[in-house]
Amino acid sequence: MKRTLIAIISTFTLFAQFAFSQNSGDRKANSINTSDYSKASVSIRFYDRTMYYPGSKEDNPILVDVAITNNGTDTLRFKLADDRMFSLDFYAYTIKNTTLPNTKDLIIKRSTNQTVYFRELAIGPGETYSFVENLKDYIQIDEPSIYYLEMHFYPELFKARNIEIASNRLSLDIRPAPSASSSSILPVENKTTALLKPEAISPDKVVEQTIIARQKSLWDQYFLYMNIEQMMIRNSEVNRKYKNASADERNRMLQAYKADLMQNRIDYDIVSLPEKFLIENTSYSQTEGTVSVLEWFKYQNFSEKKRYIYKVRQRDGIWQIYDYSVTNLGTE
């Protein structure tokens, strides 16, 4: 009887040691996962930044490059769903800090009972895993405006979204869709209905073509290489109103500004009609530049000479005029 009691006590002791060991191991594993995720970082950038518009995700996708980096000293392990909608979220905020809605496809997928297939990935210290997603698969973008974009990654999938890693923020500029504008405002070739497209020409050629278009009163070609928005908000009061305006109001302000330029009601210097001109100097870096031009304006009894300094900026390989200054050089 005594030996039987000792055997029972020994059995319970071994079981207790085993259970304690298992619990300790579980706690250790959970501690490692939490530590791993705290050492992870997620960053986003535009994959092929271009002109973004509302509407179809197929015709005008917004491709975002997502990068997950292991900043720790241990291997980082996480789950990545085959359908990335179960691994991450995008958030787009307006300037008033309201959030754009999710797409219907995203809502339906997450509210439907289904099996989520995923892979378990491991990246070593200092390594990065990246992939590309279409923002329009996640966010419904209906209006042109400036938004602030952020992404949250769920290393244990969407259902365990209490564990998440937030990314950096990007500024997203959604322009009015060309189809939404009047055909009389769209840049078209003279005497044709072909849509004009800006070309990757040098800054001096951009300015030259713009001045020639003004001399011939070809307004569509005149606006082709001009950043109308930046030109308009040079005025501090207009800039303040523009920032506080809705997307529709902004579009109306831009169209009104163009109409005023064509009627020579504002910014007289930029729309003045030169009799002749001479490009005297051009200097530019990869993204910014200036073009200095001498221009002559003929009046009834004299000619006036001025020096224009056009400021240009490159975006997606296209140079645009966004600012200018004028110096009077006297009469001839």
Side-chain angles (χ1 to χ4, degrees), residues 304-320:
E304 192 173 31
K305 183 180 179 182
K306 297 182 180 181
R307 173 176 286 114
Y308 279 69
I309 305 295
Y310 295 90
K311 294 183 179 181
V312 294
R313 179 177 294 146
Q314 185 181 157
R315 180 172 182 172
D316 304 318
I318 304 298
W319 290 97
Q320 290 183 314

Side-chain angles (χ1 to χ4, degrees), residues 37-49:
Y37 298 147
S38 69
K39 297 293 179 63
S41 65
V42 175
S43 63
I44 57 174
R45 66 180 181 87
F46 294 110
Y47 179 72
D48 55 350
R49 192 174 189 113

Side-chain angles (χ1 to χ4, degrees), residues 53-57 62 85 89-94 98-107 134-145 147 149 172 174:
Y53 307 103
S56 171
K57 66 180 182 180
I62 302 177
M85 289 184 177
D89 258 326
F90 282 99
Y91 297 93
Y93 303 92
T94 67
T98 57
T99 309
L100 293 188
N102 293 127
T103 61
K104 291 181 180 179
D105 287 344
L106 178 65
I107 295 172
N134 186 353
L135 175 65
K136 289 185 178 179
D137 285 332
Y138 298 80
I139 299 294
Q140 184 176 325
I141 304 175
D142 296 324
E143 294 187 349
S145 186
Y147 301 100
L149 181 65
L172 174 61
I174 302 294

Side-chain angles (χ1 to χ4, degrees), residues 33 65 88 103-104 106 156 159 161 186 193 207 304-305:
N33 285 340
D65 184 86
L88 51 93
T103 61
K104 291 181 180 179
L106 178 65
E156 293 295 327
K159 288 185 177 180
R161 55 187 180 275
L186 284 174
T193 57
V207 172
E304 192 173 31
K305 183 180 179 182

Side-chain angles (χ1 to χ4, degrees), residues 79-96:
K79 298 172 183 176
L80 185 66
D82 293 345
D83 185 340
R84 305 284 163 71
M85 289 184 177
F86 294 98
S87 280
L88 51 93
D89 258 326
F90 282 99
Y91 297 93
Y93 303 92
T94 67
I95 57 176
K96 295 182 179 180

